[in-house]
Amino acid sequence: MPNIAVFIEQSGGTAKKVAWQMTAEARRLVDRAGGEVWAVVLGDGAAAAEAGRHGAHRVFIAGDGDFATYNSETWTRALAAFVAARRPDLLLVGATAMGKDFAPRLAARLDAACVSDCVGLDFDGGFKLRRPIFAGKCFADVAVDAPVAVAGVRPNAFPLFAGGGADAPAESFDPGLGGFTPHATIVETLTSAEKKIELTEAEVIVSGGRGLKEAANYKLIETLAATMGAAAGASRAIVDAGWVPHSHQVGQTGKTVSPKLYVAVGISGAIQHLAGMSSSKCIVAINKDPNAPIFKTADYGIAADLFEVVPALDEAIRALD
Ligand SMILES: Cc1cc2nc3c(=O)[nH]c(=O)nc-3n(C[C@H](O)[C@H](O)[C@H](O)COP(=O)(O)OP(=O)(O)OC[C@H]3O[C@@H](n4cnc5c(N)ncnc54)[C@H](O)[C@@H]3O)c2cc1C
């Protein structure tokens, strides 16, 4: 019976959405296959108290000052100590900037299998992890043949737990950091001055592409996004053109998103863009070319000039208030 540990990444004392998505999917799997879901929390935070509600059976916490600021070596050591002590069969880590940073290092330290960017999880005597390949054109099912595996999981690949979980008992574990000093430490973290909704956490995204014609017109996207309470995204074409920062880019070399609603404005629908957003629950495309590839992926298409549609849409949504 597999026991699945889930690393609960936190930001400012709040767990990342992907942490609870992984907890939920792990719970769905062990409900079929047997075993338990263990939430692993580093540092203080409300996350530990919430874990049971999201499907965890047990919570393990190493909460002291060592975890105030992220450090790849410290996180790796602490999680390696947890795995060595508790021996889960699988450790799930969100494929976030933090998770992508330490997961391979952790797998190497544990001599564990390492599977990145997973979007599917199954157990049939051994774990099978599904991951997209060739920019999302097809999937590979990876069978794990190792006593323990570390798997990176894409944000928004799984829904949250709907089973009404109960409180999970919590216990502390020794992260094994006594006498340890990392080789490198973060001396300062510069946060973006922009107070925008984070793309990977957003439930609604409005993205703009080269159809906007020039940088100043990205304001149309920002305005519609603000009206809809959405995050503002972008195609690589306009990021490369310097119209918006890379933090807005959606796609193969940008962020992977899976919001409830994705509105693509003046975006053609290149495979590399689709790789980052095609798992959105509902896709609306606005493009003046009725043959644009984006319409093959979209649930709703508006084949018209964005400079007419976007202001009209914005006005109509405002009128709903
Ligand atoms: C290795 C690699 C990685 C890449 N990674 C990414 C990535 O992460 N993300 C990404 O987005 N791309 C990525 N790309 C680039 C990708 O191939 C496309 O070039 C890019 O997505 C195109 O951006 P676009 O749709 O904004 O521009 P275009 O393809 O130029 O499309 C603009 C669209 O706007 C429409 N349009 C024009 N005027 C109007 C109007 N007035 N009203 C309505 N519609 C209008 C046009 O009909 C057209 O369909 C990558 C490419 C490579 C090779």
Side-chain angles (χ1 to χ4, degrees):
M1 291 196 300
N3 291 319
I4 304 177
V6 181
F7 169 64
I8 308 300
E9 180 178 337
Q10 302 182 76
S11 171
T14 307
K16 291 256 181 182
K17 211 162 73 174
V18 65
W20 300 139
Q21 293 163 349
M22 294 187 296
T23 309
E25 189 61 16
R27 176 61 183 262
R28 283 187 281 272
L29 193 147
V30 300
D31 280 350
R32 292 196 307 273
E36 287 192 342
V37 177
W38 303 338
V40 187
V41 177
L42 300 183
D44 296 327
E50 276 184 80
R53 191 160 56 77
H54 290 279
H57 293 98
R58 301 166 77 182
V59 186
F60 294 91
I61 314 169
D64 58 30
D66 290 317
F67 304 110
T69 307
Y70 172 67
N71 181 289
S72 161
E73 293 172 68
T74 311
W75 261 238
T76 301
R77 263 187 177 253
L79 290 169
F82 171 78
V83 172
R86 297 288 169 171
R87 304 217 160 273
D89 301 281
L90 176 67
L91 174 68
L92 299 178
V93 173
T96 59
M98 183 194 287
K100 285 179 184 169
D101 184 51
F102 76 74
R105 179 191 280 258
L106 175 62
R109 178 175 278 258
L110 293 166
D111 199 18
C114 186
V115 189
S116 61
D117 226 10
C118 299
V119 295
L121 183 59
D122 205 355
F123 184 83
D124 179 15
F127 284 105
K128 270 201 198 120
L129 300 156
R130 173 164 291 192
R131 58 191 303 274
I133 53 173
F134 299 118
K137 278 189 188 147
C138 43
F139 294 97
D141 285 337
V142 180
V144 173
D145 183 16
V148 63
V150 177
V153 174
R154 265 197 192 187
N156 303 311
F158 303 121
L160 291 170
F161 190 56
D167 280 353
E171 59 186 281
S172 56
F173 71 94
D174 178 6
L177 297 174
F180 168 68
T181 311
H183 292 90
T185 50
I186 293 173
V187 287
E188 190 183 3
T189 305
L190 303 172
T191 48
S192 161
E194 300 176 277
K195 284 278 171 259
K196 302 274 166 68
I197 301 170
E198 165 57 32
L199 274 177
T200 53
E201 301 280 305
E203 301 218 320
V204 182
I205 294 174
V206 182
S207 278
R210 193 148 41 196
L212 288 165
K213 307 279 188 259
E214 59 181 77
N217 293 332
Y218 191 73
K219 191 83 200 143
L220 284 171
I221 301 299
E222 291 177 322
T223 304
L224 182 58
T227 303
M228 295 175 74
S235 72
R236 175 164 160 177
I238 70 169
V239 171
D240 284 353
W243 299 1
V244 286
H246 182 261
S247 56
H248 290 264
Q249 186 179 316
V250 173
Q252 186 187 335
T253 43
K255 290 184 174 153
T256 303
V257 299
S258 188
K260 288 185 179 155
L261 174 63
Y262 188 89
V263 185
V265 181
I267 292 176
S268 60
I271 185 74
Q272 296 90 354
H273 189 80
L274 299 180
M277 46 61 80
S278 57
S279 64
S280 304
K281 308 289 172 296
C282 178
I283 297 170
V284 175
I286 303 167
N287 195 305
K288 71 174 182 185
D289 175 5
N291 296 315
I294 189 80
F295 288 129
K296 293 201 177 96
T297 307
D299 299 285
Y300 299 93
I302 304 173
D305 188 339
L306 73 88
F307 295 101
E308 290 171 18
V309 176
V310 173
L313 198 57
D314 187 62
E315 201 180 308
I317 295 169
R318 280 172 199 269
L320 292 175
D321 288 340

